[in-house]
Amino acid sequence: MKTTVTFYAAHALCLVLGVACVVLVAHWNASYRGGFAWDGEAQQFNWHPVLMVVGLVVLYGNAAVVYRIPLTWRVSKQPWKLVHAGLLLLALIFSVLGLCAVFDFHNTNHIPNLYSLHSWVGILTVGLFAAQWAVGIGTFLLPCTPLAIRAFVKPAHVWLGGIVLVLSVVSCISGINEKLFFVLKDKANGTVPYSQLPPEAVVANSLGIIIVAFGLVVLKILSNKTWKRPEPRNEEGGYRVRPSLSFSSVCGGKLMSGGVGLLYCGLQDIYTVL
C-alpha cells in the first residue's frame, strides 16, 4: 500500500511538472517572443521550442511511465502497449513538426542549419527516437515476431528509452540557453542583456529547471524496481514461453519424452474419466 501511494505521489508530481513545462514554454514564446505564425518570420521559429518540449519531453516522458501505473497491472498488457506506442507516435510527430519549423525558418532567412552543438544533439535525439519507435513496433506489437526475439530486445529497448529521455532534456535546455544568448544581447535591439537577468530570462531559465526536474522524476519512476509491472513467473523477459512438444512429460511418476509422453498422459486422463 505504501509503495502504491508513493508511486502515485511521484506520478502526480510528474504530471504537474509536465503541465508546467507546457505552460511555461507557451507563455515564453507567446508573451516575450511575439507569438506564433508559419510565414518564415521569427514567429515561426517559436513553434520549435514549444513542439520539442511538448513532444520530446512531456509526451515522451509520460509514455515511458505508462506501464508503471498500478491500475494497468490488473488488465491485459496489450491495450497499454497501444497507449504507449500511440503516445510515442504523437510525441514523434510533434518533434518532426518542430524540426520542420526551424529548418523552414532557417532556409527562408538564409541561416545555416546544423552548425551548433544543440542542433547536433537534437538531430541525434530525434533519430534515435524514431529508430527506437520503429523497432518497438516491429518487435512488440507485430504478432508474428518470435517471443525469443522480444525477450532479447526488451532490455536494450528499455535502456535506450531512458537514454533518449536524457538526450531530450539535454537538447531542450541547451536550446533554451542558446536562444537566450541570441535574443538577449544588448539594449541596441531593445532587450536587456542576458547577464542582467531580465524577466524573459527568469521565465526561460525556470522552464529549463522544470524540464530537468521532470526528467529526473521520470527516471526515478523507471528505475524503481518496486514500481515495475509484475510479470507472471512462467514468463521469460516479460513474454510467455509456450511449451514445446519436444519437452519431456511426467505422468504417473514416469518420465516420458516428446509426443509419446504427451500422448501417454492424454490416454491416462481418458482412462481416469472412464
Side-chain angles (χ1 to χ4, degrees), residues 18-261:
V19 171
C21 287
V22 176
V23 171
L24 273 181
V25 71
H27 171 65
W28 173 33
N29 288 278
S31 300
Y32 294 99
R33 295 288 96 221
F36 305 95
W38 202 285
D39 54 6
E41 300 300 324
Q43 288 75 21
Q44 177 174 332
F45 181 90
N46 295 339
W47 282 112
H48 176 66
V50 172
L51 292 170
M52 302 312 276
V53 168
V54 172
L56 276 184
V57 176
V58 178
L59 286 176
Y60 186 94
N62 280 282
V65 301
V66 161
Y67 294 136
R68 299 300 196 272
I69 302 175
L71 286 177
T72 68
W73 298 352
R74 302 175 183 176
V75 296
S76 170
K77 193 175 184 179
Q78 187 64 25
W80 294 101
K81 285 184 181 182
L82 298 175
V83 172
H84 177 71
L87 286 174
L88 289 177
L89 177 60
L90 188 59
L92 184 59
I93 291 172
F94 273 60
S95 303
V96 171
L97 288 175
L99 291 180
C100 291
V102 69
F103 277 117
D104 186 60
F105 169 75
H106 281 179
N107 294 335
T108 301
N109 294 275
H110 308 290
I111 300 174
N113 291 306
L114 301 176
Y115 65 87
S116 66
L117 180 59
H118 160 68
S119 62
W120 286 20
V121 175
I123 286 293
L124 174 64
T125 303
V126 176
L128 286 176
F129 180 13
Q132 167 87 336
W133 186 84
V135 171
I137 291 293
T139 303
F140 302 107
L141 279 183
L142 293 182
C144 59
T145 304
L147 299 181
I149 292 180
R150 295 185 181 185
F152 177 76
V153 172
K154 184 179 179 181
H157 183 73
V158 173
W159 175 80
L160 186 57
I163 295 299
V164 171
L165 178 63
V166 171
L167 290 175
S168 298
V169 171
V170 171
S171 299
C172 287
I173 61 176
S174 63
I176 292 169
N177 199 234
E178 183 179 281
K179 180 65 175 179
L180 291 175
F181 276 121
F182 282 161
V183 299
L184 300 179
K185 294 181 179 179
D186 51 45
K187 297 180 180 180
N189 62 357
T191 63
V192 177
Y194 190 13
S195 59
Q196 295 184 21
L197 203 63
E200 179 178 357
V202 174
V203 170
N205 285 353
S206 300
L207 171 62
I209 293 297
I210 293 176
I211 288 174
V212 172
F214 176 85
L216 291 175
V217 172
V218 172
L219 290 175
K220 172 59 180 176
I221 293 175
L222 295 178
S223 63
N224 193 323
K225 294 183 178 180
T226 61
W227 294 344
K228 185 178 179 181
R229 180 187 176 97
E231 304 289 357
R233 292 182 179 179
N234 59 340
E235 292 186 358
E236 181 179 352
Y239 294 95
R240 188 174 300 277
V241 180
R242 298 178 181 175
S244 172
L245 291 179
S246 63
F247 291 163
S248 298
S249 302
V250 177
C251 193
K254 299 179 180 180
L255 178 64
M256 306 191 72
S257 62
V260 175

